[in-house]
Amino acid sequence: MASISLSNIHKFYPNGYAAVRDVSLDIKDGEFMILLGPSGCGKSTTLRMIAGLETISKGDLHIGGARMNDIDPADRDVAIVFQNYALYPHMTVIDNLSFGLRLRGVGRSIIDQRVANIADMLGIGELLSRKPAQLSGGQRQRVALGRALVREPKAFLLDEPLSNLDAKLRSAMRTELIKLHRTLGTTIVHVTHDQVEAMTMGERICIMKDGVIVQVGAPMEVYRNPVNTFVAGFLASPPMNLLRGRLSAQSLSLDGTVLALPPALGQAFADHAERDVIAGMRPEDFHLKADAAASTVPVEVHAVTTEVLGPEVILVATVSGEQGAEIHIRCPRDFRAKPGEIVIFHYDVSQLQLFDPETTYALKRPVQI
Amino acid sequence: MTIAADDRRLNNMPRTEQTAVERRDRMFGWLIASPSLGLLFLVILFPVFWALYTSVHDYTLIAPNFDTFNGIDNYTKALGDPEFRHTLWLTAFFVAAVVLLEFALGFLVALMLNSVERFKAIYYAILLCPLLMNPVIVGLIWRMFLHPSLGIVNYLLSLVGIDPVNWLGSTKVALWTIVMVDIWHQVSFMIVLLLAGLSALPREPYEAARVDGASALRSFWHITLPLMLPVIAVTLLIRLIFAVKTYDLVYIMTRGGPGVATDLVSYFIYRTAFVGLNIGEASAMSAILLAVIMGLTVWLHRYMRSLT
Ligand SMILES: Nc1ncnc2c1ncn2[C@@H]1O[C@H](COP(=O)(O)OP(=O)(O)OP(=O)(O)O)[C@@H](O)[C@H]1O
Ligand SMILES: [Mg+2]
């Protein structure tokens, strides 16, 4: 077990491309850290630098307090699950799983026991004598995960380890990983695209974009207080609605629709009165009934279409007339609306987020109202 | 596990009839292959059968006819001939020496070249030069180089104080000289083939092995070697078959001598046929050689298969 600390880390690929720029991140001993970001933002590169498979162009990497920049991957005692699995093609599943242990001279009986445990947990017990070419994508991915888990290293680096599993298996594996983290207490860095994984698995989320870190924080903290419109628009699905508007002393006007702000909120944003803003409104903060306690204001929308998901219905609608900006609203599962129909929602303004349209960063806002 | 059970039942079902599409594809395949198959038959199968037919007759260049059928006489005579047996053993030794040495040297160079980043094309070009030369020319060049008193090799050796070596005239040295020249000529073949195999290896397992804690040597042993086995097998096989046929170098450089020190089997068969004029016996020897090569090929192929 070990902490992992990245200080001002840069990665320049030989072609001059700066894949990671000035990344600083302190991952605590035993922490479950999520790396989240769009494709090509440098997540894998960061992970591979921690593992030692890419050189660090600039900056310092410490694992367990020791500087690791020039240490061989073998001596860092971390295990990685590769995005492309990287199984040993000529070895059977059982040899793939046990290779690292055999190299480290672990005893036969311990190897057998650990491999059996992991194979059982991942449901690959029946595949042990097969070669990777004889496995499906999801099975390969589980073997790749197993190969890392069986090692019991100081830290796990998981590069989208569940991306290729079906929904049911993925949710089961999610739970297994969380349980495993709880029992082993090993530091885990987990790269993912999956919103649910990001929100449910990690103790903290690190959101990256274009090679830099945008925001780091506990899932709910990042969810509640996205630092900029990128994070707001990236986290959760459907993400936060972002609408251009103008703030005045006691109200927010969104292209014709005027939302009255409760005095407390108006006060909080007083510094920014009379300026253009981007309003961030979460889809789940629109309610069908007014709620006096939750300071709701009515908003009139034109239904465009509905996506019936089962447990809920996502309404796509426009505000301020049929030509207005589109927003997504999370509705109860029995909600129905015809295209063009006008629906009145009650928006909980206490959840409103405001962003500066120029910098895209969030305007100062009271945390509790 | 009902799905798996279904799968198994499906696999056990008798093979269904060919569909019309499959049949048409097959016909088309034969159609396309037939001209080259015909040519192959003409230039390979026909001579082979002709030689087999000759090998059971008393066919000499003095009496070139199939009048006297003599069964396996030619075979028993050949196998009973101590000189033929000597050439077989000599050839086995020669083949083992060139194939193993060329493989070891070739693999080493291929591994080094594989990690070279720049000027790869130039190295390739240099390597290919000997391969492009005709063996007869190689033999002539080296015969000049190795001339006991006029050759450049002995001259260079004299510069560092080494006594002249009778490269081709000494019974102790001559075979090794042929081995050396063959290596010079053919090692690039190994290098090029092995290098192609190495550069086609996937990169990812090596990264996984590095994280798993494998040293360079163990990566080579546990990943490179097993993944290269099919390429190694093919390379060895081709080299082996070609080495058994070695003839030109011997013809140009030593004529099998001194004495019978470099009397490789191909050269001996040639001599039996065109110096001894005994085509029938030479054909029997060729048939024996063919059987040995085929046996070796099958064995090597099986052995390499069993390793993967
Ligand atoms: N060997 C390389 N040489 C040059 N550029 C590279 C190299 N490898 C990756 N890159 C670039 O670096 C950037 C970051 O790549 P990386 O693989 O870290 O992305 P990622 O965040 O893992 O994306 P994904 O979610 O698609 O896996 C990408 O723009 C990619 O094109
Ligand atoms: Mg990636």
Side-chain angles (χ1 to χ4, degrees):
Chain A
M1 269 163 273
S3 61
I4 300 173
S5 138
L6 295 80
S7 349
N8 310 100
I9 286 202
H10 294 252
K11 175 68 192 182
F12 308 110
Y13 276 113
N15 63 359
Y17 185 76
V20 169
R21 285 174 289 146
D22 204 20
V23 159
S24 295
L25 183 64
D26 274 310
I27 303 165
K28 293 194 272 294
D29 184 6
E31 189 172 21
F32 200 133
M33 173 65 87
I34 301 279
L35 282 188
L36 185 69
S39 187
C41 71
K43 306 181 296 289
S44 296
T45 305
T46 306
L47 216 57
R48 290 168 56 84
M49 284 193 287
I50 298 176
L53 295 169
E54 298 288 352
T55 54
I56 296 168
S57 312
K58 221 167 107 186
D60 292 306
L61 169 73
H62 290 84
I63 299 179
R67 190 168 182 277
M68 285 288 156
N69 287 46
D70 308 312
I71 303 290
D72 203 64
D75 302 325
R76 297 190 185 192
D77 198 18
V78 299
I80 183 166
V81 173
F82 293 85
Q83 192 169 7
N84 52 14
Y85 318 146
L87 297 176
Y88 306 118
H90 56 293
M91 296 188 199
T92 57
V93 169
I94 193 163
D95 288 340
N96 264 284
L97 292 175
S98 60
F99 186 60
L101 295 176
R102 280 184 283 140
L103 284 178
R104 281 158 209 267
V106 177
R108 193 74 251 176
S109 58
I110 300 178
I111 294 181
D112 289 345
Q113 193 199 332
R114 280 206 218 163
V115 168
N117 282 347
I118 291 293
D120 194 40
M121 175 190 137
L122 297 172
I124 50 177
E126 289 169 18
L127 311 173
L128 289 181
S129 57
R130 293 210 205 158
K131 299 255 176 88
Q134 300 162 322
L135 302 176
S136 74
Q139 290 169 335
R140 279 178 216 178
Q141 192 157 38
R142 278 180 283 160
V143 175
L145 187 56
R147 183 173 61 183
L149 297 183
V150 83
R151 281 252 319 273
E152 300 187 1
K154 278 194 213 149
F156 290 116
L157 310 172
L158 315 177
D159 201 345
E160 307 193 21
L162 310 179
S163 60
N164 227 325
L165 307 181
D166 63 58
K168 199 170 146 211
L169 200 52
R170 183 184 296 202
S171 127
M173 286 298 146
R174 220 160 46 215
T175 319
E176 286 295 343
L177 275 182
I178 296 171
K179 277 202 297 206
L180 194 86
H181 178 242
R182 241 177 245 146
T183 48
L184 294 181
T186 313
T187 316
I188 296 183
V189 187
H190 179 122
V191 170
T192 183
H193 275 135
D194 187 295
Q195 301 290 341
V196 185
E197 278 174 36
M199 290 303 294
T200 59
M201 295 180 81
E203 288 156 329
R204 281 197 297 161
I205 302 182
C206 167
I207 297 179
M208 294 182 69
K209 186 196 179 208
D210 298 338
V212 298
I213 292 183
V214 184
Q215 186 172 11
V216 183
M220 277 318 281
E221 185 188 320
V222 179
Y223 171 82
R224 281 192 180 280
N225 302 304
V227 291
N228 61 13
T229 52
F230 169 75
V231 177
F234 192 75
L235 204 63
S237 161
M240 188 180 263
N241 296 298
L242 297 168
L243 298 170
R244 293 193 158 272
R246 193 169 173 84
L247 189 68
S248 49
Q250 288 304 322
S251 66
L252 171 71
S253 78
L254 300 170
D255 196 14
T257 303
V258 178
L259 305 184
L261 298 182
L265 199 62
Q267 215 107 65
F269 285 123
D271 294 351
H272 308 291
E274 302 307 331
R275 63 173 287 178
D276 290 333
V277 292
I278 292 176
M281 306 158 99
R282 290 259 175 224
E284 47 275 30
D285 293 329
F286 293 83
H287 306 286
L288 286 166
K289 289 204 187 73
D291 182 349
S295 55
T296 54
V297 296
V299 181
E300 186 185 284
V301 304
H302 290 249
V304 176
T305 178
T306 53
E307 297 166 4
V308 182
L309 299 181
E312 63 188 10
V313 173
I314 306 294
L315 169 69
V316 184
T318 56
V319 283
S320 323
E322 284 179 50
Q323 305 306 317
E326 248 177 33
I327 63 170
H328 290 76
I329 299 174
R330 231 182 249 273
C331 306
R333 65 179 168 209
D334 45 8
F335 175 85
R336 292 292 180 272
K338 286 191 201 67
E341 193 178 321
I342 293 176
V343 190
I344 309 254
F345 282 92
H346 299 271
Y347 176 68
D348 182 356
V349 263
S350 67
Q351 303 299 325
L352 180 68
Q353 312 265 340
L354 294 178
F355 300 92
D356 184 331
E358 254 122 62
T359 64
T360 75
Y361 274 82
L363 298 177
K364 192 180 76 73
R365 168 188 185 281
V367 178
Q368 291 298 335
I369 300 176
Chain B
M1 287 303 102
T2 49
I3 294 179
D6 274 355
D7 271 359
R8 240 168 282 136
R9 218 173 311 130
L10 277 177
N11 284 341
N12 284 343
M13 274 182 12
R15 275 200 55 197
T16 45
E17 283 292 299
Q18 264 185 20
T19 64
V21 175
E22 277 172 346
R23 216 168 321 142
R24 212 180 48 211
D25 283 355
R26 191 167 282 243
M27 285 305 295
F28 188 64
W30 280 111
L31 191 73
I32 284 194
S34 56
S36 39
L37 280 179
L39 202 68
L40 271 180
F41 182 82
L42 221 66
V43 302
I44 295 185
L45 278 188
F46 175 72
V48 167
F49 283 122
W50 194 84
L52 285 178
Y53 187 67
T54 315
S55 73
V56 290
H57 288 88
D58 186 10
Y59 186 109
T60 64
L61 282 183
I62 298 165
N65 55 57
F66 294 107
D67 292 349
T68 339
F69 175 82
N70 61 3
I72 58 164
D73 275 11
N74 284 332
Y75 289 86
T76 47
K77 232 172 96 203
L79 287 172
D81 179 0
E83 221 179 319
F84 179 61
R85 289 214 302 261
H86 162 77
T87 65
L88 279 182
W89 284 119
L90 199 67
T91 308
F93 178 81
F94 172 81
V95 168
V98 291
V99 172
L100 290 182
L101 288 175
E102 281 170 19
F103 175 70
L105 196 64
F107 209 3
L108 198 70
V109 176
L111 283 170
M112 294 194 308
L113 279 182
N114 193 40
S115 49
V116 162
E117 306 263 307
R118 306 170 64 191
F119 307 125
K120 226 176 197 161
I122 296 180
Y123 292 122
Y124 255 112
I126 294 174
L127 272 175
L128 284 175
C129 280
L131 265 190
L132 296 176
M133 283 191 207
N134 186 302
V136 173
I137 294 169
V138 172
L140 288 171
I141 291 175
W142 278 100
R143 204 172 69 184
M144 271 161 50
F145 282 177
L146 295 172
H147 191 280
S149 48
L150 306 174
I152 190 168
V153 176
N154 275 350
Y155 169 71
L156 289 175
L157 288 181
S158 76
L159 292 185
V160 291
I162 297 178
D163 287 340
V165 179
N166 193 355
W167 295 104
L168 297 168
S170 149
T171 45
K172 289 211 188 70
V173 184
L175 186 69
W176 284 106
T177 305
I178 304 270
V179 168
M180 187 195 75
V181 173
D182 190 83
I183 291 174
W184 179 87
H185 188 203
Q186 301 281 359
V187 72
S188 325
F189 175 82
M190 288 273 192
I191 297 174
V192 170
L193 242 64
L194 292 171
L195 193 55
L198 283 175
S199 53
L201 291 185
R203 216 170 51 102
E204 296 83 22
Y206 290 94
E207 295 192 330
R210 279 178 76 192
V211 180
D212 261 348
S215 59
L217 203 66
R218 295 189 116 174
S219 283
F220 174 76
W221 184 253
H222 289 292
I223 298 177
T224 308
L225 265 189
L227 287 180
M228 280 290 286
L229 263 189
V231 177
I232 292 174
V234 169
T235 314
L236 286 182
L237 256 182
I238 300 179
R239 240 347 255 141
L240 186 122
I241 293 169
F242 276 72
V244 171
K245 297 192 309 181
T246 304
Y247 161 81
D248 344 42
L249 280 184
V250 173
Y251 180 80
I252 298 294
M253 294 177 73
T254 63
R255 306 259 159 163
V260 288
T262 59
D263 206 2
L264 297 184
V265 70
S266 300
Y267 185 67
F268 182 73
I269 293 172
Y270 153 81
R271 270 199 355 230
T272 309
F274 299 104
V275 182
L277 306 184
N278 194 342
I279 303 282
E281 195 177 335
S283 296
M285 289 173 179
S286 305
I288 293 169
L289 187 60
L290 183 68
V292 171
I293 293 179
M294 273 173 38
L296 266 180
T297 310
V298 170
W299 171 77
L300 191 65
H301 188 74
R302 288 247 175 95
Y303 178 67
M304 287 295 180
R305 265 259 186 96
S306 73
L307 289 182
T308 40

